[in-house]
Amino acid sequence: MWDNLPSDVLANVFSYLTPCSLARAMAACRHWHDCGRETRQICRHRQPWFIALPTRSTSRQLCFVHDPIQRSWHLLNLEHVPSMTRPVSTIGGQGLILLKSTGGVPIRLSVCNPFTGQFGHLPHLQKSRTNPAVGVREDFTNHFKLYVAGGMSEAANGGAASYELTLEVFNSKSNKWTVMGSMPVEFAVRLTVWTPNESVYANYYHRFI
């Protein structure tokens, strides 16, 4: 019976599920995953869940989520997340958490779904760097973009490390990084020294009249 339901009907059924149940349903098959994306459009008028991420390293990878309907808190273990990574920001429209590598190594970004336990690395950046500033931008098309700017480039030919002057953008639709341009060295220094442990999140949409 479920295989024969039209997509719009199935999406409406999914709209009654909690976020954690919807995430499990979307992991069942490609058809349910696509219907789950339609469900997110139906549920946008509802209050979103709040995700609290630890800002300091702990012996356990975890996060806290708040259900605004039941007015209850839940503790989710992120045991599927490798060590030497820490949360950077949420990607709320996708139900994901953005993470980055730690320990002074060139940055590698990854994402995880705290409800289903799925984890995956994003492609390597075009420019290898440590301690850059990271930003997240979302829209209402089920896609997101990540921005990485500044940071320290690896030392070349035995020389000293230098500030990386480029800005890179990751597009989830194409699943690749693109170097967008360069910036003055003074700005790269500020991004590297002042914001290595901070992130920027933007959620907006375009309105055409």
Side-chain angles (χ1 to χ4, degrees):
M1 180 185 74
W2 290 97
D3 292 338
N4 298 324
L5 283 178
S7 297
D8 58 335
V9 175
L10 188 57
N12 189 59
V13 173
F14 283 174
S15 69
Y16 292 93
L17 298 178
T18 62
C20 54
S21 296
L22 176 60
R24 294 190 182 97
M26 291 178 65
C29 64
R30 181 176 295 276
H31 175 55
W32 282 28
H33 183 270
D34 294 339
C35 289
R37 287 185 176 274
E38 295 181 22
T39 301
R40 287 174 177 165
Q41 300 297 327
I42 298 174
C43 297
R44 287 200 182 276
H45 64 281
R46 300 181 180 178
Q47 284 184 287
W49 283 40
F50 176 78
I51 299 180
L53 302 172
T55 57
R56 297 181 181 179
S57 59
T58 62
S59 58
R60 299 168 58 200
Q61 294 274 29
L62 49 84
C63 69
F64 302 91
V65 295
H66 181 261
D67 180 353
I69 299 175
Q70 300 294 331
R71 297 183 179 180
S72 58
W73 283 93
H74 304 273
L75 173 64
L76 298 181
N77 287 316
L78 304 179
E79 298 175 349
H80 54 287
V81 175
S83 59
M84 302 302 289
T85 59
R86 74 171 189 83
V88 176
S89 175
T90 58
I91 307 177
Q94 311 299 310
L96 302 174
I97 296 176
L98 176 67
L99 307 109
K100 73 174 183 178
S101 55
T102 60
V105 298
I107 190 173
R108 181 76 187 275
L109 295 176
S110 53
V111 293
C112 77
N113 187 317
F115 297 104
T116 64
Q118 294 173 302
F119 172 88
H121 289 294
L122 297 180
H124 287 283
L125 277 74
Q126 297 290 327
K127 301 287 186 178
S128 179
R129 64 185 88 198
T130 58
N131 295 327
V134 179
V136 179
R137 196 199 81 188
E138 288 191 69
D139 55 30
F140 286 107
T141 61
N142 290 320
H143 300 297
F144 63 91
K145 292 184 178 181
L146 307 178
Y147 293 81
V148 172
M152 298 295 296
S153 296
E154 290 184 307
N157 300 322
S162 59
Y163 289 101
E164 178 57 56
L165 307 182
T166 58
L167 165 70
E168 290 190 52
V169 178
F170 173 80
N171 190 325
S172 66
K173 188 174 184 179
S174 61
N175 194 43
K176 68 178 183 180
W177 289 94
T178 303
V179 176
M180 302 302 294
S182 60
M183 68 189 78
V185 64
E186 295 83 2
F187 192 39
V189 172
R190 293 189 178 189
L191 288 172
T192 305
V193 177
W194 292 1
T195 62
N197 295 317
E198 299 178 3
S199 61
V200 176
Y201 175 86
N203 189 340
Y204 73 96
Y205 66 98
H206 297 284
R207 175 176 294 177
F208 297 95
I209 301 177

